[in-house]
Amino acid sequence: MLTVDGVSLSVGGRRILEDVSFEVQAGEVVSLIGPNGAGKSTILGVIAGDIKPDSGSVLLKDKPVGEYSYLELARLRALLLQKTQVAFSYLVHEVVAMGRTPWRGTERAHEDDAVIEQMMACTHTAKMANRDVTTLSGGESGRVHLARIFAQQTPLVLLDEPTAALDIKHQEQTLQMSRELAAEGTAVLAVLHDLDVAAAYSDRIVLLDKGRVAANGTPAQVCTEERLSRVYQHPIEVLEHPMTKRPLVLPRR
């Protein structure tokens, strides 16, 4: 679904990305992790087609991202930004409905109402349907925009810190929804700061450090105490969950 090959980018003379390469297959959840300033949000922007790299390529379904029209891209990938604000007093259901815009006038337009209703139910935003989106809390707003992104129904979903403002219940539900999307064949690429959540829900993890790929593999392969402690410059402890056998990643206190 997605191939990132040798992507490099400099901004204002500062190297932001250096020879970044990885793939995301249909049907898997891949997490991008790394400390602040590692280049995670930037590579999402390159993948989405919003930022042009200095070198390297990004292929969506084996075609360079720059060769798609904006409408074609909107039907291929959905991007949840790290910070999303709505300046006008739209109702919540109107914001979610914006995710269906790429399918207007197509044979899929008849699905709009059902998809909007389904995604609002899944994100627990249905009871807010007629609320002014500018009056919502940060967590409520985050769930509304997540419903909008999921309603877009693209084969690739890009999520930049989707759980940042959510309480633990909605954080777990969001990652579970991502896993369910993957089970249906969607490729999901998510920037996550919670290393334990990334280890629990990802098929693979890509660890960025200073704009480079420091590791790429399964959670167990990437999440080692030595590697994470070095990259994050803080002692990190990695245990094995007794039931799932997945890594439990904790800061050593």
Side-chain angles (χ1 to χ4, degrees):
M1 179 58 65
L2 169 68
T3 302
V4 179
D5 184 16
V7 168
S8 297
L9 174 70
S10 295
V11 178
R14 177 171 170 262
R15 203 65 160 171
I16 306 297
L17 300 171
E18 183 68 46
D19 195 27
V20 173
S21 299
F22 62 88
E23 294 182 349
V24 181
Q25 304 293 335
E28 68 174 354
V29 176
V30 176
S31 291
L32 273 173
I33 65 172
N36 294 337
K40 303 183 296 298
S41 295
T42 302
I43 192 62
L44 275 197
V46 173
I47 293 168
D50 296 331
I51 300 173
K52 185 177 181 180
D54 298 330
S55 59
S57 63
V58 173
L59 303 180
L60 295 181
K61 288 191 170 181
D62 297 322
K63 180 177 175 179
V65 66
E67 294 183 8
Y68 288 104
S69 69
Y70 287 117
L71 180 57
E72 289 172 328
L73 279 177
R75 293 174 179 172
L76 280 176
R77 58 94 180 105
L79 170 64
L80 179 69
L81 297 173
Q82 187 179 131
K83 295 180 180 179
T84 303
Q85 293 181 333
V86 178
F88 301 100
S89 297
Y90 289 104
L91 299 180
V92 165
H93 72 86
E94 293 175 327
V95 173
V96 178
M98 292 176 186
R100 300 299 301 167
T101 302
W103 305 108
R104 186 176 298 161
T106 73
E107 68 280 359
R108 294 181 58 176
H110 74 279
E111 304 171 1
D112 289 359
D113 290 343
V115 170
I116 292 166
E117 181 178 351
Q118 177 190 3
M119 297 310 169
M120 292 184 69
C122 292
T123 55
H124 291 201
T125 54
K127 62 183 179 181
M128 301 185 288
N130 293 309
R131 286 181 59 182
D132 182 336
V133 72
T134 63
T135 68
L136 302 181
S137 70
E140 289 171 333
S141 178
R143 283 153 51 204
V144 169
H145 287 290
L146 193 66
R148 172 178 58 82
I149 292 303
F150 287 160
Q152 200 169 328
Q153 291 194 313
T154 56
L156 173 64
V157 173
L158 308 172
L159 305 173
D160 196 351
E161 297 189 39
T163 61
L166 302 183
D167 58 38
I168 192 167
K169 171 185 174 181
H170 293 108
Q171 173 178 286
E172 292 296 307
Q173 288 176 343
T174 295
L175 272 298
Q176 186 58 44
M177 280 189 68
S178 298
R179 286 244 49 100
E180 290 169 1
L181 282 176
E184 295 170 358
T186 301
V188 180
L189 178 63
V191 170
L192 295 173
H193 273 300
D194 189 324
L195 303 183
D196 193 51
V197 167
Y201 283 98
S202 304
D203 295 300
R204 289 188 298 108
I205 293 176
V206 178
L207 172 63
L208 292 183
D209 182 27
K210 299 181 180 66
R212 293 177 175 269
V213 175
N216 180 359
T218 67
Q221 290 171 333
V222 173
C223 295
T224 67
E225 291 186 351
E226 184 280 328
R227 178 182 291 119
L228 294 180
S229 297
R230 172 173 47 81
V231 170
Y232 282 90
Q233 298 181 30
H234 185 88
I236 290 176
E237 186 174 10
V238 180
L239 309 173
E240 184 183 85
H241 192 286
M243 294 180 64
T244 67
K245 304 304 180 183
R246 283 179 173 261
L248 289 170
V249 184
L250 306 165
R252 185 171 292 141
R253 302 186 177 100

